Amino acid sequence: MEINAIYTEIRKLRKKLRQIENLEKAQRPLNSDEQAKIKTKHSLRSALQEKLKIYEESDIQQSQPPTYSSQDQDQEQEVTGFVESRVHEPEEYNALGSSGESELIPEELPAKSSPKSQIETSSEDRIEETQVVGSQELQKQSGKESKKFQPVHRGAGDHKAEGIRPNKEKKTTSGGGGDAHSEINPWDKVKFTVSELVGHNDIICSVDCCGDTIISGSRDTSIKIWDACSGSELRSLGGHTDSVTAVLLVPVEDCKKLASEYSQSDDTRFIISTSLDCSVKVWSLESGEQLNSIYTFNAVTCLGYVKGRHLAVTAYTGGKVELWDILTGQSVYSVIGHNEVVTSLKVSGERIVTASGDGIIKLWVLRENSLHPIFVSEDVRPALPRMKVITRKVHTALEKNNRIYYGDDGHNVKVLDWREGLVHKLRNHKDGNDFGLVDSILVTSDSKYLVCSGYDIDLGNGYLNFFLLEGEKYLATLTDDSIGRVFTLADCIASEGHVRLVTGGAELKVWDVSKSKSSKRGKTVTAFYNQEFSRKARDSEEESDDESSDDEDNIDRSWSHDENEDDKQDSSSWWCVLI
């Protein structure tokens, strides 16, 4: 088979898998044809692995693939897995201080020197490459390329690929910060104890956490409260009649006034939730009692909270954005902010970022009790020559330090300087796979790190990438054998003082920075530096004409959005029927 034909078949299979992944996330009933497509997922992935095997055995990966975009391709193409740049097998890492009494957060970890890099390449003794980290350029020497990871073949009955495993061979490579200088990398080789919380029977749409308390909302219509230390389910909250699209814990400092309004004790904590059943609900964390239910007339897709103002911000399938006074349960402001479904909403101080299915991002500022748009992403430009900015459905977006970080169906994280209208990219997926998905982005609570989810569509494995927020330098990757696509992320400091991450998607997982070599619960995984993610980001390839399918627009919708305004309600709509 010709090289072009093999590569085209690989791209077609990846595209079909991406379509199925979006169907599985759909917040609406699937028709029989769509359900049939989902059932082909495992056979398609097996077929893709066979094509990749042929591609590798022919040594095609050492030559340039067919050109589908004008962007220059990197010199190296990795199809089978991550290229891992470690010096040794992961060492046991103790995140305890000298006293051994308390665990330190990553930025406090003791410094480790990084050996000089020497990376194998298959066709040259040495190459010199330019590494771009955010807006910074670093010159790096690399030697020979390390051995590839073998793809994990996935049987029709499997639900998870085996995942991406580090290279176990001991080689002299760059560790730590990943360049020739011995910089301290606060996440490389940090050990995490990972455990799964089992209880939901459908995908987890939203998570939040504080101390040792975790809350999760699912497409199974339930909200669950968990003890992170024991992994036990404390209670399940029933009341929503459709997918729970968002949950959040009200900040402690705002709870006392709410407690007075709802006749609760002063130490009561509160949960706010939204759903496609057209409601916003307020709950007591301690008792699980539903304290208020607000009918919204539209299916709610996103939720945010303005700290200190007792204002909830909601967004809808029809593009509306609305402010609610949680104390009174009254709407104080609404505006049609987008032409399509709002897919992301994040609050940062008094700035609010919203994004939609048509790829438009808006930045709003809260003044009094109203929202005023200060930026719309209609005329953004690439920050670098030859780089393309393609409008795609946005899955997640947030604003920090006058930059909007967002993820979409492309394989990079996009960074938008909204004051200048310029976009640059952070590499978030491996070479050779141009159908990556970035579903969730988080700025850690200490405002030092950026955590971005990624998904290997070839293997069906999810992972998290850590970047330094200042300078946007890649630091490390975190994954395990059984994590799927990550739709939602949260972080907090646990009661024992260590960093805790919570991920939701096909599974609900808790990732605790380990303070000892052993753990009573869960398994231990190690964050690792991955050379490939430190390289220059390249554009996601555009679809060629022969790969386009007529039904992609129909099956690549996560939401139904028949209504655009309040006065366009259809009383027969499946999501909001007054009883």
Side-chain angles (χ1 to χ4, degrees):
M1 186 179 289
E2 293 184 357
I3 294 176
N4 286 16
I6 296 175
Y7 193 71
T8 298
E9 285 299 314
I10 289 172
R11 286 174 53 84
K12 285 182 178 180
L13 288 167
R14 284 171 171 165
K15 183 177 179 182
K16 289 179 179 179
L17 285 169
R18 184 182 67 184
Q19 293 171 353
I20 290 172
E21 292 289 345
N22 285 330
L23 275 179
E24 289 184 321
K25 189 186 178 184
Q27 298 284 0
R28 58 176 175 79
L30 302 182
N31 61 40
S32 57
D33 289 341
E34 291 170 336
Q35 292 173 356
K37 287 178 184 292
I38 288 178
K39 291 179 180 178
T40 67
K41 177 179 178 178
H42 302 304
S43 61
L44 287 173
R45 185 159 278 134
S46 295
L48 174 58
Q49 293 294 329
E50 290 301 321
K51 294 292 183 184
L52 289 171
K53 185 177 179 180
I54 295 172
Y55 192 84
E56 296 158 18
E57 289 175 349
S58 303
D59 286 330
I60 298 173
Q61 74 275 17
Q62 298 300 329
S63 63
Q64 290 287 355
T67 301
Y68 287 89
S69 70
S70 59
Q71 182 76 17
D72 289 342
Q73 304 295 314
D74 289 346
Q75 288 180 312
E76 298 170 297
Q77 290 292 323
E78 295 294 338
V79 176
T80 59
F82 287 127
V83 177
E84 209 272 323
S85 63
R86 300 194 188 197
V87 183
H88 304 290
E89 295 181 53
E91 299 174 0
E92 295 296 331
Y93 193 88
N94 187 355
L96 293 173
S98 58
S99 65
E101 295 179 355
S102 62
E103 185 169 1
L104 305 178
I105 59 177
E107 59 268 27
E108 298 173 323
L109 297 177
K112 286 191 173 186
S113 60
S114 302
K116 296 185 177 181
S117 77
Q118 183 182 3
I119 305 168
E120 288 187 300
T121 59
S122 57
S123 58
E124 303 177 62
D125 290 334
R126 296 191 69 81
I127 62 171
E128 183 165 283
E129 62 180 9
T130 300
Q131 175 186 343
V132 176
V133 182
S135 56
Q136 303 175 356
E137 274 197 352
L138 302 174
Q139 292 296 325
K140 177 186 291 190
Q141 291 285 338
S142 60
K144 296 184 178 180
E145 185 182 58
S146 59
K147 292 186 178 179
K148 299 180 178 60
F149 299 103
Q150 295 301 315
V152 179
H153 292 268
R154 189 170 169 179
D158 294 338
H159 294 286
K160 291 281 174 286
E162 286 297 321
I164 301 155
R165 298 183 181 275
N167 193 335
K168 298 285 184 169
E169 294 185 11
K170 296 184 178 181
K171 293 182 181 295
T172 305
T173 59
S174 68
D179 53 44
H181 306 287
S182 297
E183 298 181 6
I184 300 171
N185 187 331
W187 290 99
D188 184 26
K189 298 186 178 67
V190 172
K191 287 191 173 297
F192 286 79
T193 299
V194 56
S195 55
E196 184 172 353
L197 305 181
V198 179
H200 288 294
N201 56 30
D202 208 332
I203 64 171
I204 291 87
C205 303
S206 180
V207 295
D208 199 4
C209 57
C210 181
D212 294 332
T213 300
I214 295 172
I215 60 172
S216 57
S218 170
R219 197 166 60 182
D220 66 11
T221 76
S222 72
I223 298 166
K224 293 186 183 294
I225 304 172
W226 310 82
D227 183 326
C229 294
S230 65
S232 61
E233 178 184 321
L234 300 179
R235 59 183 54 87
S236 182
L237 310 182
H240 285 296
T241 58
D242 211 322
S243 298
V244 179
T245 51
V247 292
L248 62 81
L249 285 162
V250 176
V252 175
E253 52 268 41
D254 283 6
C255 287
K256 188 172 182 179
K257 194 169 183 180
L258 273 174
S260 176
E261 188 68 30
Y262 289 113
S263 301
Q264 302 291 306
S265 61
D266 288 346
D267 59 352
T268 301
R269 293 294 307 273
F270 296 89
I271 299 169
I272 303 176
S273 64
T274 59
S275 170
L276 292 183
D277 64 9
C278 306
S279 71
V280 177
K281 294 184 185 292
V282 181
W283 313 78
S284 165
L285 173 65
E286 285 74 18
S287 68
E289 178 186 359
Q290 180 180 305
L291 303 173
N292 197 4
S293 182
I294 305 167
Y295 190 74
T296 62
F297 296 95
N298 295 272
V300 190
T301 58
C302 303
L303 171 68
Y305 184 82
V306 183
K307 189 175 179 180
R309 300 283 297 272
H310 298 96
L311 289 176
V313 190
T314 53
Y316 302 89
T317 53
K320 185 171 73 172
V321 181
E322 191 164 15
L323 297 177
W324 296 90
D325 186 330
I326 295 302
L327 295 173
T328 64
Q330 298 298 310
S331 172
V332 297
Y333 181 80
S334 67
V335 61
I336 302 299
H338 294 271
N339 294 325
E340 289 198 19
V341 53
V342 180
T343 53
S344 179
L345 184 157
K346 293 290 192 304
V347 177
S348 177
E350 295 196 345
R351 289 179 180 175
I352 297 165
V353 176
T354 58
S356 67
D358 60 8
I360 296 298
I361 299 171
K362 290 190 177 183
L363 180 62
W364 312 76
V365 63
L366 179 64
R367 296 172 185 159
E368 299 293 335
N369 281 337
S370 61
L371 295 173
H372 299 265
I374 58 175
F375 172 78
V376 181
S377 64
E378 292 178 338
D379 298 310
V380 298
R381 311 179 309 280
L384 299 174
R386 294 183 296 173
M387 190 182 83
K388 294 183 178 181
V389 179
I390 300 172
T391 301
R392 298 182 175 94
K393 175 182 174 180
V394 177
H395 297 296
T396 182
L398 60 84
E399 193 267 352
K400 192 70 176 179
N401 301 333
N402 295 315
R403 289 187 172 186
I404 296 173
Y405 298 87
Y406 68 97
D408 54 21
D409 281 340
H411 61 226
N412 299 306
V413 173
K414 281 75 174 180
V415 185
L416 168 59
D417 183 336
W418 61 268
R419 294 173 302 178
E420 300 293 333
L422 297 177
V423 176
H424 65 271
K425 302 178 182 182
L426 305 180
R427 179 185 282 260
N428 199 53
H429 283 78
K430 65 183 184 180
D431 279 342
N433 190 340
D434 300 293
F435 292 93
L437 300 163
V438 182
D439 289 295
S440 189
I441 299 175
L442 169 76
V443 172
T444 55
S445 53
D446 60 6
S447 298
K448 291 186 177 182
Y449 304 106
L450 191 71
V451 185
C452 306
S453 71
Y455 184 67
D456 185 335
I457 208 163
D458 293 354
L459 300 176
N461 267 107
Y463 53 90
L464 302 177
N465 279 338
F466 293 82
F467 298 85
L468 191 65
L469 189 61
E470 184 179 355
E472 297 161 1
K473 179 180 179 180
Y474 166 75
L475 297 173
T477 297
L478 180 64
T479 187
D480 73 357
D481 295 339
S482 58
I483 182 173
R485 190 173 169 187
V486 175
F487 298 140
T488 177
L489 272 171
D491 81 312
C492 64
I493 301 299
S495 62
E496 296 181 358
H498 60 267
V499 171
R500 169 170 290 146
L501 296 172
V502 181
T503 59
E507 314 87 17
L508 176 59
K509 294 202 170 189
V510 184
W511 311 72
D512 288 324
V513 172
S514 299
K515 62 179 181 179
S516 62
K517 295 182 180 181
S518 61
S519 174
K520 295 180 181 178
R521 189 177 63 87
K523 62 181 178 181
T524 301
V525 297
T526 305
F528 57 92
Y529 182 84
N530 184 325
Q531 187 75 29
E532 187 162 350
F533 290 123
S534 66
R535 296 176 185 161
K536 177 181 177 181
R538 61 185 180 86
D539 290 338
S540 302
E541 295 183 9
E542 299 179 66
E543 317 293 348
S544 57
D545 292 338
D546 63 330
E547 292 177 272
S548 302
S549 60
D550 295 335
D551 62 344
E552 170 142 27
D553 287 339
N554 295 325
I555 71 174
D556 194 24
R557 297 294 185 191
S558 294
W559 312 88
S560 178
H561 48 87
D562 294 334
E563 86 287 12
N564 287 318
E565 301 178 22
D566 289 347
D567 60 356
K568 293 184 181 180
Q569 296 303 307
D570 178 0
S571 60
S572 64
S573 295
W574 63 271
W575 55 80
C576 291
V577 180
L578 288 171
I579 299 176

